[in-house]
Amino acid sequence: QSALTQPASVSGSPGQSITISCTGTSSDVGGYNYVSWYQQHPGKAPKVMIYDVSKWPSGVSNRFSGSKSGNTASLTISGLQAEDEAEYYCCSYAGSSTFVFGGGTKLTVL
Amino acid sequence: QVQLQESGPGLVKPSETLSLTCAVSGYSISRGYYWGWIRQPPGKGLEWIGSIHYSGNTYYNPSFKSRVTISVDTSKNQFSLKLSSVTAADTAVYYCARLGSGLTYFDYWGQGTLVTVSS
């Protein structure tokens, strides 16, 4: 199991949109529509923002959206807000009830 | 509201066994769902360790399979992690979490507990 590949950092200004990519293989991201995204603020536990590629958990803003093409999944945050500044992790089901996470992407709101 | 709380020693010596427990409140483990452990070394990313069902079915990250044991105690509504032969590389914040419906993502997380491996 190798970690999914995410950019180390992305940035954007308030009100703008940003996209974070998450690249895996046909054994994980490409093989299943079970990618989830987590937001983690410093010193806090991760919080799920998107699951099953593009579904919203209850209470999560629809400014967050997910998609997938081939072996790459993406998280888009529209209308950036200061509170969105955090680390973001993707996670994919990898078969046989196993999971693999990405390395994380630090989002900076300028 | 489902709540999870990790507990266990914050310091473990090299070559010894790391033991943590996750107490669940607001939901009975024996009603279903899978429950898992995820860790995060300081300044690094998340790593899935393994998951367990109340029936005892377990699934482990192949990277840990020879060292890890996850067990469940439905009478205490908690599940546990044991990681043997630890080294400094096992120093991390350890989180317990619940796998959401569909078993494809983690919907509830504990606050995490830091375990340091050092002599």
Side-chain angles (χ1 to χ4, degrees), chain A residues 10-107:
Chain A
V10 298
S11 62
S13 299
Q16 288 186 332
S17 295
I18 63 94
T19 297
I20 300 172
S21 61
C22 169
T23 301
T25 69
S26 57
S27 297
D28 38 62
V29 175
Y32 308 93
N33 288 322
Y34 298 143
V35 176
S36 50
W37 290 90
Y38 301 85
Q39 176 192 66
Q40 186 180 36
H41 288 109
K44 300 296 187 181
K47 172 188 175 183
V48 62
M49 307 303 285
I50 293 287
Y51 70 97
D52 292 357
V53 175
S54 60
K55 297 179 181 177
W56 288 283
S58 174
V60 171
S61 170
N62 60 7
R63 293 188 300 106
F64 293 81
S65 61
S67 63
K68 192 188 86 166
S69 178
N71 295 338
T72 298
S74 299
L75 172 72
T76 297
I77 308 174
S78 59
L80 266 182
Q81 300 179 0
E83 67 215 47
D84 299 332
E85 184 163 296
E87 193 86 19
Y88 289 85
Y89 293 91
C90 61
C91 177
S92 177
Y93 180 76
S96 301
S97 298
T98 67
F99 296 87
V100 59
F101 281 92
T105 298
K106 180 173 175 55
L107 169 61

Side-chain angles (χ1 to χ4, degrees), chain B residues 10-56:
Chain B
L11 181 64
V12 180
K13 290 183 168 54
S15 80
E16 294 190 343
T17 296
L18 178 159
S19 296
L20 295 174
T21 296
C22 180
V24 179
S25 59
Y27 188 86
S28 173
I29 286 180
S30 58
R31 286 179 56 189
Y33 285 98
Y34 273 78
W35 307 82
W37 289 96
I38 299 107
R39 76 177 186 180
Q40 184 172 36
K44 296 187 178 181
L46 300 168
E47 184 174 32
W48 173 74
I49 300 171
S51 303
I52 189 166
H53 187 252
Y54 79 93
S55 63

